[in-house]
Amino acid sequence: MARRSVSTSRNGRRDAPYTSESLLAVAVEVFVERGYDGTSMEDLARAAGITKSSIYHHVRGKEELLRLAVGRALDALFAALDEPPAREGRAVDRLQYVVRRAAEVLVDELPYVTLLLRVRGNTETERWALERRREFDHRIAALVGQAIEDGDLRSDVDPRLATRLLFGMINSISEWYRPGRGRTRQHIADAVVRLAFDGLRKPSSTR
Amino acid sequence: MARRSVSTSRNGRRDAPYTSESLLAVAVEVFVERGYDGTSMEDLARAAGITKSSIYHHVRGKEELLRLAVGRALDALFAALDEPPAREGRAVDRLQYVVRRAAEVLVDELPYVTLLLRVRGNTETERWALERRREFDHRIAALVGQAIEDGDLRSDVDPRLATRLLFGMINSISEWYRPGRGRTRQHIADAVVRLAFDGLRKPSSTR
């Protein structure tokens, strides 16, 4: 998927030649809007304003586009786990770093993560993506478990349930966040970290 | 939608006559599985094991089934707002009660709330449901705002963003909770209230 093709712009929406990346961006939009199962190569060609054979110049088919798209989201999430602040120090601080980065990745890679969250497991690529998501969740749950053991997180919520609720909160951002409107990435990531770790209640109020 | 019809059980899956309620339960399952747009009256008849005309004996069409289904979820959520602990006392306590009840309603009415959460606004009924959801969100955001004003909730997260993240967490339960497996309703509602109000961090740890 490294070649470039000159688009045959059937609808005049696009003059520049497609790169694999710009084609992927169009495909992800269509997958999110119509659902992956409901998208045909024809739909993709129409949305991109090029012929189906131009698409086949870049990829073997729509499943390869799905793999590239969800792979981009997964790579960004796993990369966060490998950054030094996610690897060094107390588990609670590493967790806090990863929670912030996961919210940022969601905002930065919005359509790619949105697509990843909608994957249901009907194709081999979808099952692979679900498996990678589970692997990510296990690594987070392990961090939560370690931070409880260290005495930094409350022990009255079990790690897997806490992980699910935490990422439920983060992932829900994909349902309402639209770039350039209202809140910034920083504002959202701050709110997520505050709510996740310290909750809504005012720190000084009685518990 | 009060009459009963004797089912003509084409596939032997069901012998008893359908009531409007049992037909609705089948329809909601199919809507959640195939998506509302992707479900035909034929699909519903096949899943229920009755003829299309038997369905028309109960309802005017699939949009009426959708309205009854999402109406059931909305009624349960709004009923919680009208219960005495949601109306009387400090805003923070009322909010805490409503958050717990919303998690319980989600567990109790899982398929109905799941369907409500997937409504996208393509039909009049869907737009009505979205409007009611917005109304519910506004009432929660008003409670959050009041509790901040009372000095009980932190003032460094804005009420609408806090409401979105809070209900993002609650609503995400629909993605993994399955009745009868593992965690109980009580266990889940407790975890939601703890995380939402006090966060993951151990109460005694330094901030």
Side-chain angles (χ1 to χ4, degrees):
Chain A
M1 173 128 180
R3 294 167 293 175
R4 296 168 73 94
S5 67
V6 175
S7 93
T8 53
S9 190
R10 289 188 304 178
N11 59 11
R13 280 176 53 194
R14 212 188 147 85
D15 301 317
Y18 268 96
T19 61
S20 297
E21 183 158 338
S22 57
L23 176 62
L24 188 60
V26 171
V28 168
E29 262 181 60
V30 182
F31 288 155
V32 167
E33 193 188 312
R34 305 179 60 99
Y36 174 70
D37 291 336
T39 301
S40 66
M41 286 296 278
E42 237 110 38
D43 295 326
L44 293 176
R46 203 174 308 115
I50 59 179
T51 61
K52 278 205 282 180
S53 68
S54 301
I55 297 182
Y56 285 117
H57 186 69
H58 290 286
V59 290
R60 279 186 301 274
K62 73 168 188 163
E63 194 166 345
E64 186 176 338
L65 285 165
L66 179 68
R67 190 176 181 104
L68 289 165
V70 298
R72 177 163 157 165
L74 287 162
D75 286 350
L77 289 167
F78 277 94
L81 291 178
D82 284 335
E83 287 161 8
R87 288 188 286 111
E88 295 152 18
R90 285 182 85 82
V92 65
D93 297 325
R94 291 156 59 202
L95 178 67
Q96 185 160 330
Y97 179 80
V98 172
V99 164
R100 171 177 296 281
R101 291 290 294 120
E104 290 172 349
V105 164
L106 195 145
V107 167
D108 293 342
E109 306 286 347
L110 184 68
Y112 299 92
V113 179
T114 302
L115 184 63
L116 175 65
L117 296 174
R118 296 197 187 164
V119 155
R120 284 294 169 262
N122 296 327
T123 62
E124 202 187 321
T125 296
E126 288 175 280
R127 286 187 289 276
W128 163 79
L130 287 179
E131 188 47 51
R132 295 270 287 160
R133 272 191 70 184
R134 268 193 292 274
E135 198 185 318
F136 184 82
D137 291 348
H138 285 158
R139 290 189 55 183
I140 301 293
L143 266 183
V144 172
Q146 182 59 53
I148 291 172
E149 218 169 279
D150 294 346
D152 292 324
L153 293 190
R154 57 197 310 141
S155 53
D156 55 1
V157 175
D158 89 72
R160 283 199 55 217
L161 181 53
T163 304
R164 281 186 150 153
L165 293 172
L166 183 57
F167 275 79
M169 180 171 83
I170 295 172
N171 293 339
S172 72
I173 297 168
S174 73
E175 285 165 30
W176 54 264
Y177 176 74
R178 295 299 168 265
R181 276 205 263 154
R183 302 184 182 84
T184 63
R185 170 188 197 266
Q186 193 59 39
H187 187 157
I188 292 170
D190 285 348
V192 164
V193 169
R194 275 182 201 138
L195 289 192
F197 288 87
D198 298 316
L200 281 168
R201 208 184 300 279
K202 198 172 181 178
S204 58
S205 78
T206 54
R207 285 159 188 274
Chain B
M1 176 132 177
R3 293 167 291 175
R4 296 168 74 94
S5 67
V6 174
S7 94
T8 53
S9 191
R10 289 189 304 179
N11 59 10
R13 282 177 49 195
R14 213 190 146 84
D15 302 318
Y18 268 97
T19 61
S20 297
E21 183 157 340
S22 58
L23 176 61
L24 189 60
V26 172
V28 168
E29 261 182 60
V30 182
F31 289 156
V32 166
E33 194 188 313
R34 305 179 60 99
Y36 174 70
D37 291 336
T39 302
S40 65
M41 286 296 278
E42 240 110 35
D43 296 326
L44 293 176
R46 202 175 308 115
I50 60 179
T51 60
K52 277 203 282 180
S53 67
S54 301
I55 297 181
Y56 285 118
H57 187 69
H58 290 286
V59 290
R60 280 186 301 274
K62 72 169 190 163
E63 193 165 346
E64 187 176 339
L65 285 165
L66 179 69
R67 190 178 181 103
L68 290 165
V70 298
R72 176 164 159 166
L74 287 162
D75 286 350
L77 288 167
F78 277 95
L81 291 178
D82 284 335
E83 287 160 8
R87 288 188 287 111
E88 294 152 18
R90 285 182 85 82
V92 66
D93 297 324
R94 292 156 61 202
L95 178 67
Q96 186 161 330
Y97 179 80
V98 172
V99 164
R100 171 177 296 281
R101 291 290 294 120
E104 289 172 351
V105 165
L106 195 145
V107 166
D108 293 342
E109 306 287 345
L110 184 68
Y112 300 91
V113 180
T114 302
L115 185 63
L116 175 66
L117 296 174
R118 296 195 187 166
V119 154
R120 285 293 168 260
N122 296 326
T123 63
E124 204 187 319
T125 296
E126 288 174 280
R127 285 186 291 273
W128 163 79
L130 287 179
E131 186 49 48
R132 296 271 286 159
R133 273 191 69 185
R134 267 193 292 273
E135 199 185 316
F136 184 82
D137 290 348
H138 285 157
R139 289 187 60 182
I140 302 293
L143 266 183
V144 172
Q146 183 60 52
I148 291 172
E149 218 169 279
D150 294 345
D152 292 323
L153 293 190
R154 56 198 311 143
S155 53
D156 54 1
V157 175
D158 90 74
R160 285 200 53 218
L161 180 52
T163 304
R164 281 186 152 154
L165 293 173
L166 183 57
F167 274 79
M169 179 171 82
I170 295 172
N171 294 338
S172 72
I173 296 167
S174 73
E175 285 165 31
W176 53 265
Y177 176 74
R178 295 297 168 265
R181 276 205 264 155
R183 304 185 181 83
T184 64
R185 170 187 195 266
Q186 193 59 39
H187 187 156
I188 292 170
D190 285 348
V192 164
V193 168
R194 275 182 200 137
L195 289 193
F197 288 87
D198 298 316
L200 283 168
R201 209 184 298 279
K202 198 171 181 179
S204 58
S205 78
T206 55
R207 285 159 187 274

